[in-house]
Amino acid sequence: MKRFLIGLLIATTPVPALSQYVLNFRDADVRAFIQDASRVTGRTFIIDPSVQGKVSVVTDRPLSRSEYFELVLSTLRANGLAAVPVAGGALRIQPSSTAAQAGGRIGGSTSPNRFVTEIFRLRHIDAASAVETLRPLVSREGSITANRNTLVVADFGDNVSRIRQLIAQIDRDTATTTIVTLQNAGARDIAGSLTALAGGGEAKSVSVVPIDSSNSLALRGDAAEVARFAELARDLDARAASGAEVRVVFLEHADAAQLLPVLQQLLGQSAAPSTASGLSDRPAASGGGASNARPAAQPAATSAPAAPATGESVFGQKNAVVTRFEGANAIVIAASPDVQRSLGEVIRQLDTRRQQVLVEAIIVEISDTAAKELGVQLLLAGLEGSNIPFAVTNYSNASPNILKVGAAVAAERLRKTTTTVNGQVVTTNQNSALADTLQQAAAAEILGATGGLGGAAFKAGNAIFGAIINAVQSDNKSNILSTPSIMTLDNQEARLLVGQEIPITTGEALSDNFDNAFRTVQRQNVGISLEVKPQINAGGTIKLDLRQEVSSIAGPVSRDFSDLILNKRELETTITVDDGEIVGIGGLLDDNERRTIEKIPFLGDLPLLGKLFQSKGKARAKTNLMVFIRPTILRSAEDARAMSGRRYDYIRGMQVEQDPEAEPSIDELVRDYMGAVPPSIAQTPAQALPVRPGDQVIEAVPVPPSESVQ
């Protein structure tokens, strides 16, 4: 131990005049060696828990600080350890056998003894063949992998430097390029055949690119292979001159019924009527009739080829015929090879995958309705045989009606009539039907009353006094939020309806004896309706032809008239919106206040007593209605899957909140019923931290200015 301390003291003592250092370690602990290196060099080292052992190093001359640092790294390398740069400028010391999997900073080091990772992008040679060439140059602890046209090398700095120089020598372009012009066959047809012969994929020996504007092929690759493929292309083109004059083109994305009239017009023929169905062919939903009649079926366009018209063909040939086979969505062309090639190019450009548009709407309606009513009704009536006049106060906004209640009381006197026969009083029942009608009306009036209700009646002599006081206060608040959404193809109309079909009486007839009564009913859609036709412009903006309707049932017109009142809010407009932007397309801010007062002239104006001869009402309704639209372009299948994953996760999350212990039913349905994997959004893996549990961190000790090495 004493010898080790003396050697450590000598090793860490600089020569004052030159600011240089000497090392004299014999069987020193590697961790103490690294700690001394941190003090001298001013660097931070992270020591892996598996780093153990002894090191020996002796210098025969003083070293500068940079030389001291390189000697430390070289000593660690000789003892099976590697210094891997990590974030923040620190070095991670760990066994060389695990250095390639430790990650660390990529590039940026010129030290030959640091363990670094560097990425090389290849321009000309194949990455897989480059790996086979460079693998012997990589050390036993290093690694080299290929990813498409990229090499990832993890090794000590000197080995990485040699690999960099070798890649610069071998990654050179030795390919040749040849253009082959075709006369009879189509460039894309020949290119597909040659690509299959070349092997396809990324390992093909020759690259074949069709050039549609000049109907030619561009061949690139090894000179001998390019010459062989060029000769093969010319041979196939010559054989196409005597090929068949009938060609069937199967469409992948386009509709043959929509494409056929375009091709016929190019040939100077009369365009056949399209039988493609669409939403625009349906009757308007606002009519809402119950009729399910469909328009008469149109004759199929395949029944017979369209007769040539007097117009000139753009291809200079009138005997060409083009039609379609509806069952397979295919176009049939009967023409010369050059016309077939030209029409095939038109079909290729039109038969492309169309972008889709997701249209999301948010409909917000916030309303607040408050009402207050206070009414007093009075009744004064004289009994039979009295001379007291009849008087009553009655108002339209007061309920129940005091006249109907008074009539019900009088109905009992009408029902029973008292007479004297032979000196005896006899009571008989008369007018029973009228009495029942009046009492039923009064009962319905009382049952239909709202709010606070109070009344009194008393008899004074030959007069009857009655009074009813009715007080009502109501406050209704609603917050309605609807979010309809629909996805459709570019320039394709789409329609969404969520609601009910309610019957609306349109006519009624009654005969005298009710033996031929009938009523006509029409059904109308009530709910949320969204109709949209998007058009994607070249700049990425979206033109929307939009119709939005929200309807609901308000209730019957009145107590005596059972027909329904429908609330309806409809917007129909055309707007231009950027992709993914939210725009408010319309709304309504309504504040409606109504005050009513009904009173008896002069009596209603009396102080205090006037309240008994009047009825007051106050109602206020505030409505805030706004409609927002957000269109999003789904350019690829990945965009559509991501959108579906977000929607699916939203529904799944709601089911998990309701019952965290059970499997969401939507997952079970997708897995068991559909036999598919539930969609999900890919999560980005968390980045590994440079310092792991168990690591020893040795912080750098600031070096005095007098010991700095320039």
Side-chain angles (χ1 to χ4, degrees), residues 398-468:
S399 177
N401 192 313
I402 196 171
L403 289 176
K404 294 184 178 180
V405 177
V409 176
E412 286 300 321
R413 299 183 63 86
L414 293 175
R415 185 191 303 272
K416 298 179 180 181
T417 303
T418 302
T419 59
T420 302
V421 179
N422 297 327
Q424 296 181 354
V425 179
V426 179
T427 302
T428 60
N429 292 329
Q430 297 179 358
N431 302 318
S432 296
L434 177 59
D436 292 342
T437 302
L438 293 176
Q439 290 179 350
Q440 291 175 3
E445 190 75 12
I446 295 175
L447 294 176
T450 59
L453 181 65
F458 58 91
K459 179 180 178 183
N462 291 330
I464 296 178
F465 294 93
I468 296 178

Side-chain angles (χ1 to χ4, degrees), residues 29-38 44-53 76 81-84 86 90-95 690-699:
D29 182 75
V30 65
R31 291 178 174 266
F33 175 71
I34 297 173
Q35 186 172 5
D36 186 68
S38 174
T44 300
F45 292 90
I46 302 173
I47 304 178
D48 190 272
S50 60
V51 174
Q52 303 290 339
L76 293 175
L81 302 176
V84 182
V86 296
L91 293 175
R92 180 184 181 85
I93 309 301
Q94 65 183 75
V691 180
R692 297 175 297 189
D695 290 346
Q696 177 185 359
V697 180
I698 300 179
E699 297 289 345

Side-chain angles (χ1 to χ4, degrees), residues 237-274:
D237 182 51
R239 294 175 181 271
S242 58
E245 294 189 353
V246 178
R247 179 186 179 189
V248 179
V249 181
F250 293 92
L251 304 179
E252 297 182 3
H253 306 286
D255 190 349
Q258 297 179 354
L259 187 59
L260 178 61
V262 177
L263 302 178
Q264 290 176 335
Q265 290 179 3
L266 291 176
L267 294 175
Q269 301 175 1
S270 59
S274 174

Side-chain angles (χ1 to χ4, degrees), residues 108-351:
S109 176
T110 58
S111 174
N113 294 302
R114 293 192 194 182
F115 202 95
V116 297
T117 302
E118 191 162 343
I119 299 176
F120 299 94
R121 300 190 182 279
L122 305 178
R123 297 183 178 181
H124 306 291
I125 63 176
D126 180 63
S129 60
V131 169
E132 297 298 326
T133 304
L134 301 174
R135 192 180 299 277
L137 300 179
V138 180
S139 65
R140 182 180 59 183
E141 297 84 1
S143 67
I144 180 172
T145 57
N147 181 18
R148 295 189 177 180
N149 66 328
T150 303
L151 294 180
V152 181
V153 181
D155 205 346
F156 290 98
D158 52 355
N159 285 342
V160 173
S161 179
R162 284 194 304 159
I163 292 175
R164 184 186 306 109
Q165 297 175 6
L166 184 58
I167 289 177
Q169 295 294 325
I170 65 176
D171 188 22
R172 295 182 177 181
D173 185 13
T174 59
T176 184
T177 302
T178 300
I179 303 296
V180 179
T181 303
L182 305 178
Q183 302 296 331
N184 304 302
R188 291 191 172 269
D189 294 337
I190 300 299
S193 301
L194 296 181
T195 301
L197 291 175
E202 300 177 1
K204 58 186 178 182
S205 58
V206 178
S207 298
V208 183
V209 179
I211 304 175
D212 299 313
S213 58
S214 60
N215 194 38
S216 56
L217 298 176
L219 306 178
R220 180 177 175 81
D222 181 71
E225 289 296 315
V226 167
R228 184 171 68 88
F229 274 79
E231 184 62 27
L232 182 60
R234 296 186 183 96
D235 184 33
L236 293 175
D237 182 51
R239 294 175 181 271
S242 58
E245 294 189 353
V246 178
R247 179 186 179 189
V248 179
V249 181
F250 293 92
L251 304 179
E252 297 182 3
H253 306 286
D255 190 349
Q258 297 179 354
L259 187 59
L260 178 61
V262 177
L263 302 178
Q264 290 176 335
Q265 290 179 3
L266 291 176
L267 294 175
Q269 301 175 1
S270 59
S274 174
T275 60
S277 60
L279 292 174
S280 58
D281 300 331
R282 301 179 182 178
S286 58
S291 174
N292 293 323
R294 297 180 178 268
Q298 299 292 335
T302 55
S303 57
T310 56
E312 288 293 333
S313 169
V314 296
F315 304 112
Q317 181 178 349
K318 290 188 176 181
N319 58 351
V321 177
V322 60
T323 184
R324 73 182 180 101
F325 176 58
E326 184 177 2
N329 193 34
I331 296 292
V332 182
I333 304 173
S336 60
D338 57 339
V339 174
Q340 288 187 17
R341 184 178 65 252
S342 300
L343 292 181
E345 178 61 20
V346 173
I347 294 174
R348 184 193 66 81
Q349 297 186 34
L350 296 178
D351 186 23

